[in-house]
Amino acid sequence: MAKKLAAEFFGTFWLVFGGCGSAVFAAGVPDIGIGLLGVALAFGLTVLTMAYAVGHISGGHFNPAVSFGLLAGGRFNAKDLLPYILAQVVGATAAAACLYIILNGAGAFSAEGPGAFATNFYDMPGYHDRSYSMMAAFLAEFLLTAFFLIVIMGATDKWAHGKFAGIAIGLALTLIHLISIPITNTSVNPARSTSQAIFVGGAALSQLWLFWVAPVLGGVVGGLIYKYLLQRDEHEVAS
């Protein structure tokens, strides 16, 4: 179990350090910044690389919503849920702490404005001064996490081409970020949202509930959809 939790710690650390780090350090650099597309790709690459690096150890969740979804879908043991979530949150927070220290090294840390330090937000002007309501943000996070679980469960199904699962999952997370960075700065991952909110405080902490509830509910619904509507059983395969 210790190795599984270590894998979840390091996998979630890499997701936050790589994904949020790209948003904090590289997205807005004049002339050579990576922008929205680059940040979306960075998040996808973190999951893709860690899926192959440690996914065979822990299953490669790196996200409490994924753990809840896999539990609902019958792919995860309830007794391991809390330890996994703790490892994920601690890993994410450790990564955010490293980002904070590095950013402070340039005297550039700022907690001002929506999306500061790669935080998630709603009901505040974001990209292009457009503000999405709480319900719009909730729906986006719910739907995108549900589809993320469908992709994860389908790509890792025993009838699927398992060697390519990491690629499908990483690209799915990239697509999710392309859709929702302008809406909420993309969570679909409560550990990722918690880690950044801790350092920013204020509105980021007060809004954190949505970035737990919506992804977890979405993950559970996605897991149930795949289990009961999409998953092939032995009888179907035989026929």
Side-chain angles (χ1 to χ4, degrees):
M1 186 61 174
K3 290 185 178 180
K4 291 182 178 181
L5 297 181
E8 287 297 304
F9 173 92
F10 286 113
T12 314
F13 183 104
W14 187 236
L15 184 153
V16 170
F17 191 83
C20 294
S22 69
V24 169
F25 298 123
V29 177
D31 299 324
I32 60 170
I34 62 175
L36 183 152
L37 177 59
V39 173
L41 186 59
F43 272 101
L45 288 172
T46 62
V47 170
L48 188 156
T49 50
M50 275 295 165
Y52 287 110
V54 300
H56 60 285
I57 300 171
S58 67
H61 298 192
F62 318 141
N63 180 342
V66 171
S67 296
F68 271 102
L70 292 176
L71 176 63
R75 302 271 190 91
F76 189 52
N77 197 317
K79 69 180 178 61
D80 296 332
L81 181 63
L82 183 58
Y84 264 55
I85 291 174
L86 289 174
Q88 292 155 1
V89 172
V90 172
T93 305
C98 291
L99 293 176
Y100 175 82
I101 292 168
I102 295 169
L103 197 58
N104 256 352
F109 178 79
S110 173
E112 299 296 323
F117 198 52
T119 51
N120 301 114
F121 59 88
Y122 60 86
D123 264 340
M124 292 187 284
Y127 296 87
H128 306 295
D129 294 323
R130 183 179 293 172
S131 178
Y132 290 88
S133 69
M134 180 184 70
M135 287 305 301
F138 193 101
L139 181 60
E141 291 287 329
F142 173 86
L143 287 174
L144 291 170
T145 313
F147 274 92
F148 192 38
L149 261 293
I150 291 171
V151 171
I152 290 171
M153 292 192 67
T156 58
D157 196 295
K158 64 181 179 179
W159 306 112
H161 300 289
K163 291 182 179 179
F164 301 103
I167 297 173
I169 294 167
L171 289 176
L173 190 60
T174 298
L175 175 59
I176 286 168
H177 279 77
L178 289 174
I179 296 167
S180 58
I181 284 177
I183 304 172
T184 62
N185 219 19
T186 310
S187 173
V188 302
N189 186 334
R192 166 261 191 276
S193 296
T194 301
S195 65
Q196 306 305 118
I198 287 172
F199 290 89
V200 172
L205 277 176
S206 68
Q207 294 186 353
L208 186 58
W209 68 270
L210 185 145
F211 301 106
W212 272 89
V213 176
V216 167
L217 287 178
V220 168
V221 170
L224 292 173
I225 287 173
Y226 191 84
K227 180 179 181 180
Y228 291 109
L229 297 181
L230 300 173
Q231 188 166 271
R232 300 165 68 188
D233 58 31
E234 299 290 344
H235 174 73
E236 289 175 324
V237 175
S239 62

